[in-house]
Amino acid sequence: MSCGCKTSGDSAHSCGPKKTATGCESVNTCGNSYKLSVFDWLSNINNPTSNRCDFVEVRFKNDRKSFYKNVNNIPLHIGSVVTVESSPGHDVGVVSLTGELVKIQMKKKKFSEELALKIYRQANQKDLEVWQEARKKEDGVKLEARKIAQRLGLEMKVTDVEYQGDSSKITFYYTADNRIDFRQLIKDYAGSFRTKIDMKQIGFRQEAAKVGGIGSCGRELCCSTWLTDFRSVNTNVARYQQLSINPQKLAGQCGKLKCCLNYELDSYLDALSHFPSSSTTLDTEKGRAFCIKIDVFKKKMWFAYVDHSIAWYDFDIDLVKKLISKNKRGEKILPLEDLKQPETSVQTIDLIQENSVDRFEKKNRNNRNNRSNQNKPSNNQGQGQQGQKKNRPERQERPERSDKPVRTENPSANSGNQPRQQKPQPQQKVPVEKVKTEATPNAEQNPQSNPNKKKFKKKYPPKKDKDA
């Protein structure tokens, strides 16, 4: 048996072993999220009195709910599928609330206990099968009902269709701007669907609640998730909140003004109570000025001259109150441009550095500079190294090596290392000095040609020793 967490009340999606005495553990995730879900915060609290509430709240398709009396004292919890009394026949629904909170809801909605119908039993397998078969027909019936209404030329829209649990009645929910003549329409519906027909007119807000959708805020519509009472929204609500009267931005999916405009209205009215009236005028030496704009958050008012309304001047509400009190005493105030105080520029620190375009390049430059500074020795280090060089003892001159080559016992093994070990003979030093003397006059003639050019000595490869 299903817990009924599916939005349409379909029992094909069940919680399995997750059901407890207080209902489904994952009411908001099993199958689909509850529309107008209810949380019983008194479920874990024992009733101090012996009196037990016999009334139960049962939810049907979409947002339709009603209260029933548990005459047979059936152990019910949130998510139980029950068969309840209806006219005619019976209906199948899901228990959405039990306990003492049901009395509070009945008192809130002014529901009389005498009008409450009774619960027959928990739904058995036959009741569930008939209920599921009736739900599968609803989409086809809705399309056929729209075609019939269009053929008769009626200016109405069939929004939703709901079958009763025993398939003995169909309820058609429709929206229309004018009154509709249903005499021929009901005859055609009864002839096509072969059951009892019930027509109910709903508003555009109720239509959006039944259909559902995503609002401009990116979340599900409030009317289809938690909002139950639809209050009227006036255009003055937008004026109090300093919003532009743009019907495309202020209207919701239902075509009416958004219900969320009422949410912050009390906060705006409380803030505006400290402001002077928007129709306030100031008598200045230059002429009369009137209020053009009000900023609730900055607590400022903008004024402009009647003759020259292009230039606007903003003042704090405390200063405006002082100016109004001067006018009441019959005194004229200074011109607005003289009263305007110079704005003090506030220095802001960009901690995230989002405004700078080259914020990534600066980091690379700093890293490069740090690396170069690490490689370069500091002045103190250089001076210390020079002092160490001075304190070092002078190196002793190495003894001159003999010009005779050193023979090895295995000439084949060390043949590759011979050029490195042997030193050139003294006869080979003579041409090197000649090269020096030949290169020096060119350098002296053109010292400015390339002063930083390094001078390299020309080396000749050592001659091979025949004795080796």
Side-chain angles (χ1 to χ4, degrees):
M1 190 175 295
S2 169
C3 69
C5 294
K6 182 79 174 165
T7 304
S8 61
D10 190 2
S11 62
H13 300 76
S14 65
C15 288
K18 293 183 179 180
K19 285 201 299 183
T20 60
T22 58
C24 175
E25 293 181 358
S26 58
V27 172
N28 293 325
T29 58
C30 173
N32 200 346
S33 61
Y34 253 119
K35 280 189 177 181
L36 306 175
S37 59
V38 178
F39 177 71
D40 189 3
W41 54 276
L42 293 176
S43 59
N44 297 326
I45 300 175
N46 296 325
N47 193 358
T49 60
S50 59
N51 297 330
R52 183 181 177 183
C53 181
D54 297 332
F55 294 93
V56 176
E57 185 186 61
V58 181
R59 175 176 160 270
F60 301 94
K61 184 181 178 181
N62 291 333
D63 58 344
R64 185 169 72 91
K65 293 182 180 181
S66 186
F67 300 97
Y68 293 87
K69 191 172 184 179
N70 189 3
V71 181
N72 301 322
N73 294 327
I74 303 171
L76 300 175
H77 53 76
I78 297 175
S80 300
V81 184
V82 293
T83 302
V84 298
E85 181 183 1
S86 181
S87 58
H90 65 272
D91 201 354
V92 180
V94 182
V95 176
S96 59
L97 190 64
T98 59
E100 296 296 326
L101 291 178
V102 180
K103 290 184 178 180
I104 299 174
Q105 291 293 326
M106 293 175 67
K107 185 178 181 181
K108 180 181 177 181
K109 297 182 179 180
K110 299 178 181 180
F111 189 86
S112 177
E113 297 181 1
E114 298 176 357
L115 300 176
L117 301 176
K118 60 183 179 179
I119 296 176
Y120 288 143
R121 60 185 180 274
Q122 283 192 348
N124 52 30
Q125 188 63 30
K126 185 178 180 180
D127 295 335
L128 294 175
E129 290 177 358
V130 175
W131 183 39
Q132 291 176 4
E133 290 296 328
R135 286 294 169 87
K136 292 178 181 178
K137 299 178 184 177
E138 289 178 351
D139 293 334
V141 170
K142 181 171 64 175
L143 296 176
E144 186 66 24
R146 289 178 177 177
K147 292 179 181 178
I148 296 173
Q150 188 178 6
R151 189 177 67 244
L152 295 176
L154 300 176
E155 296 180 357
M156 58 175 289
K157 177 185 176 183
V158 179
T159 301
D160 196 10
V161 175
E162 183 181 0
Y163 261 95
Q164 194 168 285
D166 56 352
S167 300
S168 61
K169 186 177 70 171
I170 306 176
T171 303
F172 293 91
Y173 297 95
Y174 70 95
T175 57
D177 295 329
N178 301 320
R179 188 175 179 179
I180 306 297
D181 188 5
F182 294 118
R183 287 177 293 181
Q184 185 62 34
L185 182 66
I186 293 176
K187 291 180 182 179
D188 294 346
Y189 281 177
S192 299
F193 307 125
R194 302 290 180 179
T195 184
K196 186 178 179 181
I197 306 299
D198 188 9
M199 304 294 295
K200 284 188 177 181
Q201 185 176 3
I202 58 176
F204 293 99
R205 298 182 189 274
Q206 286 82 3
E207 178 188 8
K210 288 182 176 295
V211 175
I214 305 296
S216 60
C217 58
R219 303 186 64 178
E220 290 186 63
L221 298 179
C222 299
C223 53
S224 62
T225 52
W226 63 272
L227 192 62
T228 55
D229 54 336
F230 301 100
R231 299 179 182 178
S232 61
V233 184
N234 198 358
T235 54
N236 292 329
V237 176
R239 293 190 178 93
Y240 286 137
Q241 301 180 27
Q242 311 298 321
L243 299 175
S244 61
I245 309 300
N246 189 355
Q248 294 181 353
K249 293 183 179 180
L250 298 179
Q253 291 190 0
C254 57
K256 304 294 183 181
L257 292 177
K258 295 179 182 178
C259 298
C260 56
L261 293 174
N262 284 332
Y263 296 166
E264 298 178 355
L265 179 60
D266 296 336
S267 300
Y268 276 91
L269 292 176
D270 188 17
L272 288 172
S273 63
H274 303 287
F275 277 73
S277 177
S278 59
S279 60
T280 302
T281 58
L282 299 176
D283 293 332
T284 65
E285 297 175 357
K286 197 174 179 179
R288 179 168 291 185
F290 64 98
C291 180
I292 288 182
K293 181 184 173 183
I294 294 175
D295 194 336
V296 179
F297 300 102
K298 294 181 179 180
K299 296 183 179 180
K300 288 186 177 182
M301 299 179 68
W302 276 260
F303 287 88
Y305 292 107
V306 177
D307 300 333
H308 185 70
S309 61
I310 298 176
W312 295 8
Y313 303 93
D314 58 307
F315 303 102
D316 294 336
I317 57 174
D318 297 332
L319 179 59
V320 174
K321 290 178 181 178
K322 294 179 181 178
L323 299 177
I324 293 172
S325 61
K326 285 185 178 181
N327 289 144
K328 287 182 179 179
R329 292 196 299 266
E331 300 177 4
K332 287 189 176 183
I333 61 176
L334 297 175
L336 299 180
E337 52 268 19
D338 296 339
L339 294 171
K340 184 74 175 76
Q341 298 178 357
E343 297 181 357
T344 57
S345 60
V346 180
Q347 294 182 357
T348 59
I349 301 173
D350 188 10
L351 299 176
I352 308 176
Q353 294 185 356
E354 290 183 349
N355 298 328
S356 59
V357 180
D358 55 346
R359 58 185 182 274
F360 300 107
E361 297 179 1
K362 289 181 179 179
K363 293 180 181 179
N364 296 332
R365 291 174 185 173
N366 295 331
N367 292 334
R368 291 174 184 172
N369 295 331
N370 293 332
R371 290 175 184 174
S372 60
N373 293 332
Q374 290 176 3
N375 296 330
K376 291 181 181 180
S378 61
N379 296 329
N380 298 329
Q381 292 178 356
Q383 293 177 2
Q385 290 177 359
Q386 291 178 1
Q388 290 177 2
K389 287 181 181 179
K390 292 180 181 179
N391 297 329
R392 286 179 184 175
E394 296 182 357
R395 295 181 180 179
Q396 298 178 0
E397 294 182 358
R398 294 180 181 179
E400 295 182 357
R401 296 182 181 180
S402 61
D403 297 337
K404 295 180 180 181
V406 180
R407 293 186 180 182
T408 57
E409 295 178 359
N410 191 3
S412 62
N414 297 329
S415 60
N417 299 328
Q418 283 178 5
R420 295 183 181 178
Q421 294 177 0
Q422 293 179 359
K423 289 285 183 178
Q425 296 178 2
Q427 295 178 0
Q428 296 175 357
K429 295 181 180 178
V430 177
V432 176
E433 294 177 357
K434 290 181 180 180
V435 172
K436 281 184 178 182
T437 55
E438 291 176 357
T440 49
N442 295 329
E444 292 175 0
Q445 291 175 3
N446 298 323
Q448 298 179 356
S449 60
N450 194 355
N452 297 328
K453 188 175 180 180
K454 295 182 180 180
K455 298 175 183 180
F456 297 96
K457 295 180 181 180
K458 190 174 182 181
K459 295 182 181 180
Y460 295 96
K463 292 181 179 181
K464 296 183 179 179
D465 193 359
K466 295 180 181 180
D467 298 335

